[in-house]
Amino acid sequence: MSFRRRDLLYLAALALGSGLAYIAFRELYLAGAYVPYAQEMVLIFLGAVATIILTAALLNRQTELELRKEGRVLVFQQKSDIYMACIETVARIVQAEALEPRLIDELRVLNHKLAVVGSAEVVAKFDAVLRGLLEGLADGRLAALDGERVMSALADLTAAMRGDILEEAGLAEPATLLAIRRNAARMEELDDLGGTPEQVAR
């Protein structure tokens, strides 16, 4: 049964029930014209029934909204945790400068989790990070230049994650991709300054 057909059946049943309720009310109300306080009792009874129906509908709607809100909060928390774990795992791989199976396994699991909760843009940017890691670790070692490329792709991924989280939270904010890229470049410059004297001299 399609959703539209089901709604039509509900509307038809509601219309039929309303018609029968009107006929019953009319008969009871007219029949009570000859009995003292009978019409008033019918009106009180119908008012109580209407109050119960409206209260039940409002409580049902309130419960539905609360459950939906709790579900969104849980999804938001899971998404934030997975995003942070992706950033930290990629950073550890770059820091290790070598192919570590344990970190790759963690990244594989995070990739599956990201496919569940991540937005389309985040998944696409994560693919760029993975491509950078594949090219850099092809010989088993991650050179400094390859690490910088991965971190640059990670900056784009961070910007996509930030935009997705802010959109999920309903907080509109101007794009900060350029600022995030600039900060990532500054961090690479600081990292170069922290090398050995021979490296800095070169």
Side-chain angles (χ1 to χ4, degrees):
M1 180 183 297
S2 65
F3 182 76
R4 181 169 305 196
R5 184 181 176 186
R6 184 180 60 187
D7 288 344
L8 291 176
L9 290 177
Y10 284 157
L11 289 175
L14 181 61
L16 180 60
S18 299
L20 293 176
Y22 172 74
I23 294 174
F25 166 73
R26 180 181 175 86
E27 292 298 327
L28 288 173
Y29 190 79
L30 293 177
Y34 306 102
V35 180
Y37 304 109
Q39 291 181 332
E40 288 78 3
M41 295 298 296
V42 171
L43 293 176
I44 292 173
F45 173 75
L46 291 176
V49 171
T51 302
I52 292 173
I53 293 174
L54 290 176
T55 303
L58 291 175
L59 289 176
N60 186 32
R61 181 62 176 170
Q62 182 180 0
T63 303
E64 180 182 352
L65 292 176
E66 289 178 355
L67 291 176
R68 186 178 302 176
K69 180 180 179 181
E70 291 179 3
R72 290 187 63 183
V73 169
L74 290 176
V75 172
F76 179 81
Q77 185 62 46
Q78 289 181 355
K79 180 179 292 190
S80 301
D81 293 342
I82 293 173
Y83 283 178
M84 293 300 107
C86 287
I87 295 172
E88 293 171 359
T89 304
V90 172
R92 291 207 306 270
I93 293 175
V94 173
Q95 185 178 10
E97 297 183 353
L99 186 62
E100 292 193 11
R102 179 180 59 83
L103 294 177
I104 299 301
D105 289 340
E106 290 182 13
L107 198 62
R108 181 181 293 112
V109 174
L110 289 173
N111 179 45
H112 293 302
K113 292 181 178 180
L114 203 64
V116 176
V117 301
S119 65
E121 185 180 4
V122 169
V123 173
K125 297 298 183 183
F126 188 68
D127 177 68
V129 174
L130 293 179
R131 285 201 312 269
L133 288 174
L134 282 172
E135 294 173 0
L137 292 172
D139 57 353
R141 297 288 300 177
L142 191 66
L145 183 59
D146 295 326
E148 291 181 3
R149 291 174 180 171
V150 172
M151 294 305 292
S152 177
L154 185 61
D156 294 341
L157 175 63
T158 304
M161 290 176 172
R162 173 187 172 87
D164 184 35
I165 289 177
L166 290 178
E167 182 179 356
E168 187 76 21
L171 302 175
E173 187 174 283
T176 56
L177 178 58
L178 293 178
I180 292 176
R181 284 179 175 174
R182 185 170 58 250
N183 291 342
R186 297 290 185 269
M187 291 305 302
E188 293 301 330
E189 294 176 4
L190 287 174
D191 184 61
D192 293 339
L193 292 176
T196 62
E198 293 79 8
Q199 292 174 333
V200 175
R202 283 184 291 179

